[in-house]
Amino acid sequence: MPVRILAIESSCDETAAAVCVDGCIVSNIVAGQKVHEQYGGVVPELASRAHMQHIVPVVDAAIKKAGVRMAEINAVGYTQSPGLIGSLLVGGQFAKSLALSQKIPLIAVHHMQAHVLANLIDSPKPSFPFLCLTVSGGHTQLIQCDSPLTMKVLGETIDDAAGEAFDKSAKLLGLPYPGGPLIDHYAQAGDGKRFNFPKPQIAGLDFSFSGLKTAILYFLQQAGKSVSYKQGQQISKIEQDKFIADNLSDICASIQQRIISILLDKLEKAVHQTGIRSVCLAGGVSANRGLRKEFLTLAQQKGWKASIPLFEYSTDNAGMIAITAYYKYLDNQRSDLTLSSSARANW
Ligand code: KG4
Ligand code: ZN
């Protein structure tokens, strides 16, 4: 009998559902939330309300597209943590109700573990052990993955995440939220070497991005005139806007270039330290075209085996929750149905 898992993801501002049959994702539906654009970031209460609106049609669409009946589903997987608590509760309670009504197991999934396992959705799958550079809006981590359910964090950000660095830089440039994809877009036509933003000196495998954000702020306030990035004489808002408009592609390409070099330098260090030469990318920022390209180029130069999830499994999606729930199901991992365990902001 095939194992059919329905999975729900609602940790932030995407309502998503997917069906996995014997480890293959057969449907993957995502409904985004445009409502946050005007606020420059995700508004938690609006996110929860939008999840309430989207969850029934999204789950219904995932089931229909998969061509299965609810009665044929063997287990319900859902994102338990980390994320916005109100958003997590909508998906968690919905998943729990489905599991109760269908009398099937409930499987809680860690969102960041699922980002890593998105690499196991398509073939060729990376061989174990592998290193995964997981870069999202809330996290930046270097993970050593020894088996689907055995992983450890080798390094992580001590302040902002890589996605936050993209989004906050974009905000300084007057771009709407989420700015990461827009920086990626403008960077296509830009010169990444034109502006040299500073690189943080952080020991070990941890990351830091808050200094970069401050450097960009001062840089824009001085229309790129200062090379020291110290706060000095500021130009007018009109001059600043003109400087940004005239140089947008080069500024975006230079910011993107610096974020990529911070990430890939640490990955190289991790390969050196662990001796593991199978490497993966994961998380929303892995949709960045510059990062994907440089990651693959570096891997080719070094002779590493490299893998990146398809775009649809890089940003938040339920396919990655379904594949993780599938491995947990095979490992007999089930969650209880108590209210307290249905959602956790941190894990
Ligand atoms: O993994 P994800 O979808 O959600 C979280 O778990 O946080 O990641 C969202 C982050 C946002 O910061 C977004 O700006 C960034 O991924 N992102 C990108 C691109 N696409 C999404 N950043 C740079 N370039 C992109 N193409
Ligand atoms: Zn995510």
Side-chain angles (χ1 to χ4, degrees), residues 11-14 111-112 115 135-139 162-164 166-167 177-184 256 283-289 311 314-316 320:
S11 63
C12 191
D13 59 341
E14 250 105 30
H111 182 86
M112 297 313 293
H115 269 305
V135 275
S136 74
H139 294 77
E164 259 178 301
F166 271 107
D167 296 339
Y177 178 86
L182 291 168
I183 292 198
D184 184 352
Q256 179 170 297
V285 179
S286 70
N288 183 270
R289 282 168 286 182
F311 279 105
S314 296
T315 48
D316 283 353
M320 66 184 196

Side-chain angles (χ1 to χ4, degrees), residues 126-132 271 275-280 304-306:
S127 51
F128 295 101
F130 63 79
L131 296 178
C132 186
V271 171
I276 296 171
R277 297 168 65 79
S278 177
V279 293
C280 297
W304 305 338
K305 274 185 74 180

